[in-house]
Amino acid sequence: NTKTKDKVIRRELAVAPGETFNMVSARLSKMRVEGLEYFDEVDLSVEPTDIPDRKDLVLKVTEKAQGTGNFTVGAGFNSVENLVGFVELTQGNFDIAKPPLFQGGGQKLRIRTQIGTRRQDYRITFIEPWLFDRKLELETSLYHSQLNFQSTLYDVTRTGARVGLRRTLFGSDFIMCGVSYTTEQVGIDDVSTSARSILDEEGDRLVSKIGPSISYDTRGGGRLPDRGQITRLTSEVAGGPFGAETDYYKLELGTKHYFKGLAEGHILELQAQISVIQEYGDSDRVPLFDRNF
């Protein structure tokens, strides 16, 4: 590894020097390192030593020749957003403290701009998967979007910031809990109806919400999983003790199950989702921009 820092690899290992050998933990270590998607090859082998009943566990990695960054440009047309184009820059092995290349630290950076005839979307996302060298993931994002396709009667503009923390529970790689805080300015603009229910919501309002979540994730196969499942329970509470100008709560339960398809490279995904959103406190309705439709 010439680009990736040693600690980025070592912290993914489920084994430590001096421990009783455990093949299950060794294979889990290999799976975690493969999951980083920084390497073309990850090999695990056991080698003898000069000390009786002691073995060396050797992990060999070969970094991707094409690197871990991507620059993508695209355009398309659909019946909802009409003509749309986007530019996206991602670095899956980012290091904010290592100029000028800013790579090797195991962080993730994504910058995306999407512009169309009925949509504009700008977003920057930064992820530190090991905050303070602990298995605590920090995700921050800044965004601005103008959505002109959600209704023919009004447009929606959102500008905000989100910060979230996630970590595993009970020493398991599969159970993850998290909490996020979002603050955003949301506007209902260009209203073209006399309907009082919509006219009453015209203008800008501040939304402040906290969102705890818990998930169970057993997927495998890297970026395109072909086995396992992910089931996630999420909630959002807006207003109330978190201030802002609207009060509502939302609960959502979703699950996705993955299976190998009928041919090589085919994947089957079964998905189900249910959610409920309800106003509380001084609010008499859920705002238009956050309702379920």
Side-chain angles (χ1 to χ4, degrees):
N1 55 303
T2 57
K3 299 176 184 176
T4 305
K5 292 179 178 178
D6 284 358
K7 73 173 186 178
V8 173
I9 302 172
R10 293 180 187 274
R11 66 193 185 190
E12 298 296 333
L13 304 184
V15 295
E19 291 182 341
T20 302
F21 183 77
N22 185 319
M23 196 60 195
V24 174
S25 297
R27 288 173 177 166
L28 176 60
S29 301
K30 182 175 184 288
M31 185 179 71
R32 286 180 179 177
V33 175
E34 288 175 334
L36 294 174
E37 298 185 355
Y38 301 159
F39 309 106
D40 283 326
E41 295 181 17
V42 179
D43 295 319
L44 199 67
S45 61
V46 179
E47 298 181 357
T49 70
D50 296 333
I51 306 174
D53 299 324
R54 295 292 180 97
K55 303 289 185 183
D56 280 340
L57 183 65
V58 180
L59 182 73
K60 296 181 180 179
V61 298
T62 303
E63 292 193 289
K64 288 186 175 181
Q66 70 273 27
T68 54
N70 288 284
F71 179 74
T72 310
V73 179
F77 179 85
N78 62 56
S79 59
V80 176
E81 300 173 289
N82 292 339
L83 186 65
V84 62
F86 73 90
V87 177
E88 181 176 271
L89 173 67
T90 61
Q91 174 54 263
N93 193 5
F94 186 70
D95 190 345
I96 196 171
K98 194 177 178 181
L101 298 179
F102 296 101
Q103 61 180 352
Q107 301 162 346
K108 302 183 187 303
L109 178 71
R110 180 184 185 219
I111 302 174
R112 181 181 177 90
T113 297
Q114 183 168 315
I115 299 177
T117 54
R118 305 189 66 184
R119 175 184 187 135
Q120 295 185 39
D121 197 4
Y122 309 92
R123 185 175 296 266
I124 300 176
T125 302
F126 171 79
I127 298 176
E128 169 54 80
W130 286 74
L131 186 63
F132 306 127
D133 289 327
R134 297 177 178 271
K135 200 170 185 181
L136 177 66
E137 181 182 279
L138 169 70
E139 179 177 348
T140 60
S141 60
L142 301 173
Y143 58 89
H144 172 78
S145 62
Q146 184 175 331
L147 311 176
N148 304 335
F149 62 85
Q150 292 186 321
S151 171
T152 59
L153 304 179
Y154 60 87
D155 298 337
V156 178
T157 302
R158 291 179 180 265
T159 303
R162 179 184 181 275
V163 59
L165 292 170
R166 293 199 315 159
R167 65 159 299 160
T168 56
L169 285 181
F170 314 118
S172 169
D173 273 22
F174 309 123
I175 303 175
M176 182 83 71
C177 71
V179 62
S180 66
Y181 175 76
T182 304
T183 180
E184 59 181 354
Q185 190 82 16
V186 186
I188 300 291
D189 308 310
D190 297 330
V191 176
S192 59
T193 177
S194 58
R196 177 53 54 187
S197 60
I198 297 179
L199 289 172
D200 287 346
E201 298 204 32
E202 186 176 12
D204 296 334
R205 72 172 72 187
L206 181 66
V207 179
S208 184
K209 54 192 175 184
I210 190 169
S213 66
I214 186 168
S215 61
Y216 178 67
D217 189 350
T218 62
R219 294 174 297 177
R223 187 171 296 177
L224 293 175
D226 58 6
R227 62 184 183 274
Q229 61 146 313
I230 177 169
T231 300
R232 180 181 290 121
L233 176 64
T234 61
S235 60
E236 287 183 346
V237 180
F242 313 108
E245 305 167 31
T246 184
D247 302 322
Y248 65 87
Y249 67 87
K250 180 178 183 178
L251 293 173
E252 184 171 284
L253 177 65
T255 185
K256 297 179 182 180
H257 293 255
Y258 297 87
F259 307 91
K260 289 185 177 181
L262 303 178
E264 184 70 25
H266 289 188
I267 298 169
L268 298 179
E269 177 190 87
L270 299 180
Q271 176 179 350
Q273 183 172 309
I274 183 171
S275 69
V276 60
I277 186 167
Q278 183 70 43
E279 74 277 358
Y280 72 93
D282 297 331
S283 293
D284 58 358
R285 67 170 71 91
V286 176
L288 281 170
F289 48 79
D290 273 337
R291 291 184 191 174
N292 287 333
F293 287 94

